[in-house]
Amino acid sequence: NNLTGIIPPDIGNLPQLKNLNVSNNKLSRIPTKLGKLADICEEFDVSNNALSGRIPSELGKFEKTLIRLSGNEETIAAPVP
């Protein structure tokens, strides 16, 4: 894929979403609305993108989710919540 920009916030409204893999694109930001997926999502992979700025604190709600952020280390401005 060659997705750019932010992950569409409306993805956070998908109540049955178990795995979200948008790796290997050129996405720049994770919207806070994805925090709604915390109780249902099992895997969230945004590795190898162009993420920049802060990671939304809502990602800290993903207690049972495998989150992959690798390949974005040089552009992320704050620690992962």
Side-chain angles (χ1 to χ4, degrees):
N1 297 325
N2 199 19
L3 302 175
T4 60
I6 68 168
I7 299 169
D10 288 338
I11 287 178
N13 295 329
L14 299 172
Q16 301 298 316
L17 186 66
K18 297 289 183 189
N19 297 299
L20 177 58
N21 185 331
V22 290
S23 62
N24 300 305
N25 285 288
K26 295 176 183 162
L27 296 168
S28 59
R29 195 166 62 85
I30 300 170
T32 58
K33 284 189 175 184
L34 292 188
K36 293 180 181 180
L37 299 174
D39 293 333
I40 57 169
C41 192
E42 297 171 359
E43 182 176 349
F44 179 51
D45 189 345
V46 289
S47 59
N48 299 310
N49 274 284
L51 297 178
S52 61
R54 296 188 175 274
I55 300 292
S57 61
E58 286 77 8
L59 283 191
K61 297 177 184 176
F62 285 76
E63 296 177 2
K64 299 177 184 175
T65 304
L66 172 62
I67 299 175
R68 294 185 182 160
L69 296 166
S70 63
N72 294 291
E73 294 87 353
E74 295 176 4
T75 56
I76 295 175
V80 177

